[in-house]
């Protein structure tokens, strides 16, 4: 009989790639979709009608509906990827963030406990929990020091997952994933904002791109590589916590330069602080400016992960380099933006994602 998996957050970046991976392995996939006033299924529209693909309405803020759905489907695995996942936005909607990201996992785990079903649970934990880092590089053993409502909500979720594992003998595992990106990344995360913005600038559709902290450093990987790790974490013989990262760290400034290279630009920097500007040496034009609106009340300046435990125990390795990631995201956004140029309306926000 086919394995059954529920995916919360299936309409998001990781959920869509994980759904494809599980379907390719013969799973029956049950995606949880929350109600939206406009279609929110652009990343998974291509999966409708595929054998084993099912969708149902559910929301992580609604315990009774989670109970009904889990009881009816009787899944072998539950991948909890649903979250208010934007760190900056979590300062604006802290209560919603905590309700979804912290209490959501608690609601699922309580349901699993009460039903007494042998369901394996995956929690999408985050490098944002390390916050102002207390060790370099970060490992599974590094203490958490969150700096945002989002980071703290994920610390709660991480610990409650461990508590249900040890206290109730539930197969519940955490993947502590560092930043991972793709052509399906939400358009208000910095990597995607830059690939779209610079692509538009290269075609003359936009003059400048306004960014926040250029000095922040992140360990950026590719979402498609990371969903392989997510699946492997639940296939391991026992529940455990694994850190997933590339081991390399780069600044936002370096990301801008790298994306620029793939568009034939040569970006150099002039000025300091709010007056800093990125200039394309080929045209002499200013294309990057700083807008403090993108600064956060607290910032996480530096993340770099050590994934040697996952590499050793799960036999997982990142396959995509920093430059390879910038290339594949930029090439795809250039295709969307070229369509904007010919069709005369925004394509990026209405795209069907199949890459
Ligand atoms: P994403 O693209 O923002 O997707 C988030 C998903 O959660 C979407 O499907 C969203 O639905 C859903 N969601 C939000 N609130 C919900 C609610 N109340 N009930 C049910 N579903 C809800 O995020 P992602 O990049 O794929 O990340 C997946 C998970 O990994 C998240 O938990 C994130 O916090 C975590 N994570 C991500 C990274 C990263 O770098 N990408 C790193 C570490 C951890 P809509 O489509 O309707 O908005
Ligand atoms: N979003 C955004 N927009 N970030 C900017 C900008 C901008 O215009 N300018 C500079 N940044 C900086 C942010 O201040 C941050 O330091 C860095 O770029 C990365 O920001 P995001 O891409 O928004 O990602 P994040 O690191 O805050 O959070 C992502 O990674 C976490 C894992 O560490 C999200 O995917 C989280 O869900 C995830 O848990």
């Amino acid at each position: 009989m086919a394995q059954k998996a529920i995916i919360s957050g299936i309409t998001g970046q990781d959920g869509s790639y994980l759904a494809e991976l599980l379907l390719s392995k013969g799973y029956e996939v049950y995606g949880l979709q929350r109600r939206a006033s406009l279609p929110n299924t652009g990343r998974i529209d291509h999966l409708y009608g595929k054998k084993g693909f099912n969708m149902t309405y559910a929301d992580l803020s609604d315990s009774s509906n989670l109970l009904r759905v889990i009881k009816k489907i009787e899944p072998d695995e539950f991948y909890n990827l649903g979250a208010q996942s934007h760190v900056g936005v979590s300062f604006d909607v802290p209560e919603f963030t905590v309700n979804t990201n912290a209490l959501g996992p608690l609601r699922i785990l309580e349901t699993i406990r009460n039903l007494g079903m042998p369901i394996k649970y995956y929690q999408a934990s985050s490098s944002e929990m390390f916050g102002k880092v207390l060790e370099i590089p970060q490992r599974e053993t590094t203490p958490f020091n969150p700096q945002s409502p989002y980071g703290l909500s994920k610390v709660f979720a991480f610990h409650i997952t461990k508590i249900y594992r040890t206290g109730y003998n539930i197969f519940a595992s955490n993947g502590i994933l560092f930043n991972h990106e793709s052509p399906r990344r939400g358009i208000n995360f910095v990597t995607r904002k830059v690939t779209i913005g610079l692509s538009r600038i290269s075609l003359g559709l936009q003059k400048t791109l306004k960014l926040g902290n250029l000095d922040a450093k992140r360990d950026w990987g590719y979402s498609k590589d990371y969903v392989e790790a997510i699946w492997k974490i639940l296939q391991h013989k026992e529940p455990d916590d694994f850190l997933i990262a590339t081991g390399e760290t780069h600044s936002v400034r370096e990301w801008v330069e790298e994306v620029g290279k793939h568009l034939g630009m040569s970006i150099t920097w002039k000025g300091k602080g709010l007056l800093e500007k990125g200039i394309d040496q080929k045209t002499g034009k200013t294309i990057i400016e700083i807008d403090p609106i993108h600064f956060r009340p607290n910032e996480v300046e530096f993340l770099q992960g050590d994934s040697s435990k996952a590499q050793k125990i799960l036999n997982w390795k990142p396959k995509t380099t920093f430059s390879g990631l910038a290339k594949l995201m930029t090439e795809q956004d250039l295709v969307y933006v070229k369509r904007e140029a010919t069709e005369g309306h925004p394509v990026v926000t209405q795209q069907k994602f199949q890459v």
Side-chain angles (χ1 to χ4, degrees), residues 8-16 32-36 40-41 43 58-61 80-86 96 100-101 122-128 150 154 175-181 184-186 189 223 226 230:
S8 70
I10 195 165
T11 55
Q13 169 186 257
D14 293 2
S16 62
L32 306 188
Q33 173 186 4
R34 63 177 177 158
R35 197 265 162 188
N40 57 357
T41 55
R43 294 181 174 97
D59 197 294
L60 291 171
S61 61
N80 181 35
L81 309 183
Q84 189 304 89
S85 74
H86 199 284
F96 172 78
T100 304
N101 301 6
Y122 173 86
Q123 173 56 32
S125 289
S126 163
S127 49
E128 189 68 17
Y150 172 85
K154 289 285 182 179
I176 307 171
L177 272 54
F178 280 58
N179 297 50
H180 48 279
E181 320 292 313
R184 294 184 195 175
R185 184 58 143 155
F189 295 93
S223 172
Y226 284 32
I230 290 176

Side-chain angles (χ1 to χ4, degrees), residues 156-209:
F156 177 92
F158 175 90
H159 283 301
I160 204 71
T161 300
K162 279 183 86 166
I163 287 169
Y164 274 62
R165 173 164 85 219
T166 53
Y168 303 118
N169 211 19
I170 291 173
F171 193 114
S173 298
N174 283 291
I176 307 171
L177 272 54
F178 280 58
N179 297 50
H180 48 279
E181 320 292 313
S182 75
R184 294 184 195 175
R185 184 58 143 155
I187 58 176
N188 59 355
F189 295 93
V190 77
T191 54
R192 190 81 202 287
K193 187 174 161 182
V194 170
T195 55
I196 295 169
L198 291 190
S199 296
R200 284 186 178 147
I201 290 170
S202 76
L203 295 185
L205 298 173
Q206 184 175 323
K207 285 200 166 66
T208 56
L209 177 65

Side-chain angles (χ1 to χ4, degrees), residues 5-26:
I6 293 182
I7 304 178
S8 70
I10 195 165
T11 55
Q13 169 186 257
D14 293 2
S16 62
Y17 285 123
L18 181 66
E20 286 170 5
L21 180 74
L22 297 185
L23 288 172
S24 76
K25 292 182 182 297

Side-chain angles (χ1 to χ4, degrees), residues 14-220:
D14 293 2
S16 62
Y17 285 123
L18 181 66
E20 286 170 5
L21 180 74
L22 297 185
L23 288 172
S24 76
K25 292 182 182 297
Y27 274 72
E28 274 177 33
V29 169
Y30 295 82
L32 306 188
Q33 173 186 4
R34 63 177 177 158
R35 197 265 162 188
S37 68
L38 280 171
N40 57 357
T41 55
R43 294 181 174 97
I44 49 167
D45 280 345
H46 60 289
L47 299 179
Y48 284 80
K50 287 233 155 93
K51 187 169 172 278
F53 184 71
N54 307 274
M55 290 288 284
T56 185
Y57 279 102
D59 197 294
L60 291 171
S61 61
D62 184 336
S63 302
S64 60
N65 117 300
L66 289 169
L67 169 66
R68 196 171 56 250
V69 165
I70 295 173
K71 197 169 169 192
K72 185 164 168 217
I73 295 170
E74 293 187 43
D76 300 286
E77 298 171 358
F78 192 120
Y79 295 88
N80 181 35
L81 309 183
Q84 189 304 89
S85 74
H86 199 284
V87 175
V89 171
S90 80
F91 289 97
D92 297 325
V93 288
E95 191 177 329
F96 172 78
T97 301
V98 169
N99 191 10
T100 304
N101 301 6
L103 297 184
L106 175 63
R107 292 181 183 110
I108 300 166
L109 287 162
E110 259 301 274
T111 304
I112 294 175
R113 171 189 169 207
N114 287 330
L115 289 174
M117 290 176 178
I119 300 168
K120 293 200 238 174
Y121 175 80
Y122 173 86
Q123 173 56 32
S125 289
S126 163
S127 49
E128 189 68 17
M129 299 187 300
F130 296 118
K132 209 178 273 284
V133 297
L134 299 171
E135 185 181 29
I136 294 176
Q138 295 82 60
R139 306 185 170 85
E140 286 84 355
T141 48
T142 303
F144 300 141
N145 188 16
Q147 298 296 312
S148 62
Y150 172 85
L152 184 55
S153 71
K154 289 285 182 179
V155 171
F156 177 92
F158 175 90
H159 283 301
I160 204 71
T161 300
K162 279 183 86 166
I163 287 169
Y164 274 62
R165 173 164 85 219
T166 53
Y168 303 118
N169 211 19
I170 291 173
F171 193 114
S173 298
N174 283 291
I176 307 171
L177 272 54
F178 280 58
N179 297 50
H180 48 279
E181 320 292 313
S182 75
R184 294 184 195 175
R185 184 58 143 155
I187 58 176
N188 59 355
F189 295 93
V190 77
T191 54
R192 190 81 202 287
K193 187 174 161 182
V194 170
T195 55
I196 295 169
L198 291 190
S199 296
R200 284 186 178 147
I201 290 170
S202 76
L203 295 185
L205 298 173
Q206 184 175 323
K207 285 200 166 66
T208 56
L209 177 65
K210 293 185 193 301
L211 296 172
N213 180 6
L214 299 175
D215 296 318
K217 288 188 145 189
R218 290 292 184 274
D219 179 330
W220 277 297

Side-chain angles (χ1 to χ4, degrees), residues 213-336:
N213 180 6
L214 299 175
D215 296 318
K217 288 188 145 189
R218 290 292 184 274
D219 179 330
W220 277 297
Y222 180 31
S223 172
K224 243 182 170 172
D225 293 349
Y226 284 32
V227 298
E228 293 265 356
I230 290 176
W231 176 74
K232 283 186 167 201
I233 287 171
L234 280 202
Q235 308 320 304
H236 186 49
K237 59 182 185 314
E238 58 201 29
D240 201 349
D241 307 321
F242 293 94
L243 186 154
I244 304 299
T246 68
E248 267 187 43
T249 190
H250 295 274
S251 64
V252 171
R253 195 188 308 278
E254 287 174 82
W255 178 260
V256 171
E257 290 165 8
E258 191 63 35
V259 170
K261 272 187 215 156
H262 293 293
L263 289 165
M265 298 169 169
S266 168
I267 301 174
T268 55
W269 306 93
K270 236 188 175 167
K272 281 220 153 43
L274 291 176
L275 297 177
E276 182 166 6
K277 308 220 178 299
I279 296 159
D280 180 5
Q281 287 305 307
K282 298 220 166 129
T283 61
K285 290 184 180 159
T286 294
I287 56 172
I288 306 287
E289 288 176 343
I290 306 300
D291 186 342
I293 201 167
H294 300 299
F295 292 162
R296 295 165 181 183
N298 282 338
E299 176 63 295
V300 169
E301 292 289 350
F302 181 94
L303 292 172
Q304 181 178 24
D306 173 356
S307 61
S308 48
K309 176 177 171 186
Q311 300 205 21
K312 193 166 159 223
I313 297 179
L314 302 177
N315 195 24
W316 174 86
K317 251 199 190 139
K319 298 179 199 140
T320 310
T321 61
F322 177 73
S323 178
L325 180 64
K327 181 168 187 283
L328 73 87
M329 287 177 67
T330 307
E331 282 177 352
Q332 187 55 47
D333 274 326
L334 200 52
V335 171
Y336 293 137

